[in-house]
Amino acid sequence: MIPFIDLQAQRARLGQPLEDAILKVVRSGAYIMGPEIAELERQLGVFGQAPHVLSCGSGTEALVLPLMAWGIGPGDAVFCPSFSFAATAEVMPLVGASPVFVDIDPDTYNLDPISLEAAIVAVKAAGQLTPRAVIAVDLFGGPADYPAIAAVCARHGLKLISDSAQGFGCTLDGKHPIHWADVTTTSFFPAKPLGCYGDGGAVLSKDARFHDLLVSLRVHGQAVTSDIEGKTFDHDPKYLNVRIGMNARMDTLQAAVLLEKLKIFEDEIAARNRVAGRYAAGLSDLVKTPTVLKGGVSVWAQYTIELANLPGRGGRDDLAPQLREQGIPTAVYYPIPIHQQGVYSVYPTAPGGLPVTDAKAGQVISLPMHPYLTTDHQDQIIAAIRAFVQTNGPAAS
Ligand SMILES: *Cc1c(COP(=O)(O)O)cnc(C)c1O
């Protein structure tokens, strides 16, 4: 079977220095908040063009922390796409707020600024919820339309989070999403473009006070500089818990892994783009291949094509088993949009529902994508898809 994502090829490339870095942490004993944590936060800031970076335990925690810091809670609305991983919407109910689901652009699969505007206007008119923030997602690694989305947020006084769990490293006109967003979050789950050897995440931000608040929330609401400056204490203010926080720390071991992986990340992004270019050259005359926003660079967390399920002609759901027989794995992200899932179906959607999201869920299919995909394997994949489409008739949507 051709690997869908080949983490072992990456591990072989990273070699002994990676294992040495892990062993160094094991021997040091600094398992929590060891020196690798601060160094990783510094390097992620340089890479991601962000003044402040907070490492944390997962991409989900990275999304919860800013909502907590802004005091978003019951009665508040946070707008997000439904065509995403569940965590994007899960964090709103976690803080007591309501997600409001917005439709996506049919070509980039990212938040549609027109649907966003309509959803905000509708929520304001209904008068039940207070619009507070927007979470845009860089789905499959490609940047969302930040200039347009940020303009909508500015017009309505909303905070903007870029959920870049799949898109960390993506750019638009050379700028990272944090250029437009108040906060960028990411995940270092192993299968993400920049992954560690377990769970991890980060919050990139621009404001020192806000970052300070995140530092406090990450460790049980502990007093931070802004809480103690100008005051005197009878006890060490380290043990002063001034707000409700949580434990959202990243392990030092994961920071050590990420410091090694960051060294080759730019090169891997270039390799992913070469793989994507070859897929497009081999397939785009027959099926719908991905679109990256003009001026954008994707990090290709997924390479997702579309085949409509046409009755009697074969489509997405027939392609997957045929490829599997030939040793080619595929995956469907996402077969059930979040707003159609039971527990999330109670939350509002943009007016008129989410027709683009509903349609895409039935026709997307993701192909093997990683920096180490060989041209031989890629040629096999391309040939197998071409043969399928040519026997089953035009399946491009
Ligand atoms: C993976 C992912 C997350 C959650 O990250 P975890 O580290 O698994 O908690 C959030 N949003 C999107 C879009 C993701 O793909």
Side-chain angles (χ1 to χ4, degrees), residues 58-60 63 84-85 87-88 137 163 165-166 187-189 192 199-200 334:
S58 70
T60 307
L63 286 165
S84 182
F85 183 62
T88 304
V137 176
D163 175 354
Q166 299 178 19
S187 162
F188 303 119
F189 180 80
K192 311 285 179 175
D199 280 304
Y334 293 91

Side-chain angles (χ1 to χ4, degrees), residues 18 43 52 106 162 180 362:
L18 174 79
Q43 290 193 23
H52 303 283
S162 90
W180 295 274

